[in-house]
Every structure is written in structure tokens, then in C-alpha cells.
Amino acid sequence: MKKLKGLLLTEGMHGMISQVEGLAKALDLDFTHHKVELNNFWKFIPPKLTPISNKVYKHFDATNYDIIISCGRKSVVPSIYLKKNSQKKIINIHIQDPKVNLKHFDIIVTPEHDGVTGDNVISSKGAIHYLTEQEISSSKDYLVGRLDNKKNYLGLIIGGPNKYYNYSNQIIERVLLKVKKISELNKLQVIAIPSIRTPKNIITMTSEILGENHIAINEVDKRAYLSTLAISKYLVAVSYTHLRAHETREDRVLRGVVGKKKRGGGGGGGGGG
């Protein structure tokens, strides 16, 4: 049977890509992904005040699709426009609260904590993602040459500042020292994984504080991340990364926000990586 074709629309942020691709893979779509860029001052205007027009966003080639999956504020108008102006019946699905009339979409997928309700709304326990048990398992041995096989492992997933949260070197230093102390008291080996948001100075500090008996990955490495998810007995996620705890079993995760909330900030949107 021929696969349905999917058109994925996001702002290009890893967290959004993870969600739209996760849903597309679950639906077994043959999909293409397009980064949405808004024109001029429309990038500063909320979707509910933006006209449904292709003049709002920069043109991209998109033809022959059956399902549109969008995520993020900037993708709301393009998804609605493309559905309305298609010559065939299109199903459009938006992930996160679109902040417009929900009837513009066939399906809305939002986390329960957003409190969005409606006949076409599906609530999820957390954010959708593209990781599968098979993908995680396939990277299990990626770090084997660096591991102490006499110990259990504690995965430390380090995030970074975003528009809602910030943290200082002193806060991260305190967290690292505490994690190191706990791991040594319990004979654990720490595997520290940075994200795309983690500042380079924090990556360097992590390596220096943990020392040679632990592992500090010094760059964004997806396979190292997957391997850590697969082998860690415990996971500690700091800063914004606590929103990604849905990517592993809840009984292994200690969530903690170590950042100080910035003034005027709202809740996280699951859009970072």
C-alpha cells in the first residue's frame, strides 16, 4: 500500500522537529520537512491577528501532500493557508496550542498541562518525540569503551539558558559538585550530556569538575545521548531539559529546574533542543 505523504512545518528548532517527525513516523508517512520563515513584521504579530495569506511567510516548494503536521507559532498560518487552498482534501494537525480558533485544524495535539480542550483536541502526557526503543537500544554500546563496567551509571543531561530561564556558572558548579558527591557515595559513574543550548564554558566546567573517573561529552552527540538513555540506572535532567523527561522512563528521572525564571517569561513551549 502506498504511503500517505506528509508535509512537516516548524520554525526549525530541534524540539519542534522532534515532535512533528515523531508523529509523522508513528503515522508511517512519507514526509518532507520545511522550515517556516515569516516576512517582515509578521514575525512579531501573534497568529490570531495575522491574515491567512501566503504573503505572510517566505515561499517554499510544497506539492503533493495529504497531511500537514505543524508545530510552533510561525507554522500556524502556513498550515491553515495550505489546507484552505489545496485542490484536494488535506488533513492538518497542529502540535501545541495554536492560539487561534481550533476549528482551523482537523486535529490539535497538546500536553495535558496546557489545558486546551475541544472536540478535535488530543491531550498527551508529555511532548511527542521521534525516539523509539529500537533506536535507543541500537546505540546502547556506543560509549562502552569509556565506561567503568563495575559501576552503575547516572546520566546527567545538561540544558542551557532560553528566553524563559537563565542560570549562572555558580549554580551549575553547585549542581555538578552535588551530583559528583552523590555518585561517588553510591559508586556511580556520571555520564554528562550537553544539549545544543549548553554554553561551551559550561561544557568545559563539567569536564573539569567531574574529572577523569566520569564521562563528560564535549559536544552535541545524538548517539551518546541515546546510549546514556539506554544504560543509565538514574537520570538527572537540569534546567530546560526537564521538559524532555518524556523521552525515558519516569522512574529513572529526577526533574529539576536550576535556572532562575526571567521576568516576563511564560512556560516553556517544548521548542528547544
Side-chain angles (χ1 to χ4, degrees):
M1 184 177 177
K2 192 175 181 180
K3 291 185 178 182
L4 293 174
K5 293 189 178 294
L7 174 65
L8 312 187
L9 304 177
T10 73
E11 299 172 26
M13 298 174 71
H14 179 79
M16 294 181 183
I17 295 172
S18 175
Q19 294 186 68
V20 294
E21 288 194 1
L23 182 54
K25 289 179 180 180
L27 295 174
D28 196 26
L29 301 180
D30 176 12
F31 62 85
T32 58
H33 180 260
H34 293 273
K35 179 181 177 180
V36 174
E37 296 181 72
L38 301 183
N39 288 322
N40 302 321
F41 64 92
W42 293 116
K43 63 185 69 175
F44 305 108
I45 307 300
K48 66 180 179 180
L49 300 178
T50 304
I52 307 303
S53 168
N54 61 352
K55 295 181 180 180
V56 168
Y57 59 92
K58 294 182 180 178
H59 175 76
F60 54 81
D61 292 323
T63 57
N64 192 25
Y65 48 86
D66 305 290
I67 297 176
I68 300 172
I69 303 176
S70 54
C71 182
R73 179 181 67 84
K74 293 180 181 178
S75 66
V76 170
V77 170
S79 177
I80 297 171
Y81 175 83
L82 291 172
K83 175 181 172 65
K84 284 189 173 184
N85 289 274
S86 175
Q87 295 181 355
K88 65 177 183 179
K89 182 175 175 58
I90 298 294
I91 294 174
N92 67 340
I93 303 170
H94 190 76
I95 300 172
Q96 299 180 2
D97 182 357
K99 306 292 186 182
V100 298
N101 191 322
L102 302 184
K103 293 181 180 180
H104 284 303
F105 295 92
D106 294 293
I107 301 173
I108 306 287
V109 182
T110 63
E112 285 183 351
H113 60 73
D114 280 357
V116 180
T117 58
D119 293 338
N120 61 337
V121 175
I122 298 174
S123 295
S124 60
K125 292 292 184 183
I128 299 170
H129 61 86
Y130 58 69
L131 296 183
T132 64
E133 290 289 345
Q134 182 180 0
E135 188 176 12
I136 293 172
S137 179
S138 68
S139 295
K140 182 177 181 180
D141 296 330
Y142 180 70
L143 295 172
V144 69
R146 302 174 62 181
L147 298 172
D148 184 340
N149 58 18
K150 296 179 181 179
K151 294 182 178 181
N152 288 318
Y153 310 114
L154 184 154
L156 176 63
I157 305 173
I158 306 171
N162 61 29
K163 65 181 180 180
Y164 300 113
Y165 290 94
N166 200 358
Y167 55 58
S168 65
N169 289 1
Q170 290 76 17
I171 291 174
I172 293 300
E173 181 179 6
R174 190 162 67 244
V175 170
L176 291 171
L177 289 171
K178 184 173 290 187
V179 168
K180 183 178 181 180
K181 181 178 180 180
I182 291 171
S183 67
E184 292 177 348
L185 286 174
N186 293 277
K187 298 181 179 180
L188 302 169
Q189 185 176 28
V190 178
I191 307 171
I193 302 289
S195 79
I196 197 170
R197 295 180 183 273
T198 310
K200 289 183 179 180
N201 69 302
I202 297 298
I203 295 175
T204 300
M205 180 194 299
T206 301
S207 179
E208 292 174 350
I209 290 178
L210 292 182
E212 61 183 15
N213 293 326
H214 302 281
I215 300 171
I217 306 300
N218 60 12
E219 60 185 359
V220 176
D221 186 334
K222 181 180 178 181
R223 291 200 67 194
Y225 173 63
L226 296 178
S227 181
T228 301
L229 293 183
I231 65 178
S232 295
K233 184 174 183 179
Y234 306 101
L235 285 169
V236 177
V238 298
S239 187
Y240 187 67
T241 54
H242 78 291
L243 295 177
R244 287 215 184 151
H246 56 269
E247 293 183 350
T248 189
R249 293 189 352 238
E250 287 190 359
D251 61 344
R252 294 191 297 159
V253 178
L254 171 64
R255 297 170 174 82
V257 179
V258 300
K260 184 176 181 180
K261 194 168 185 179
K262 294 180 180 179
R263 292 184 178 181

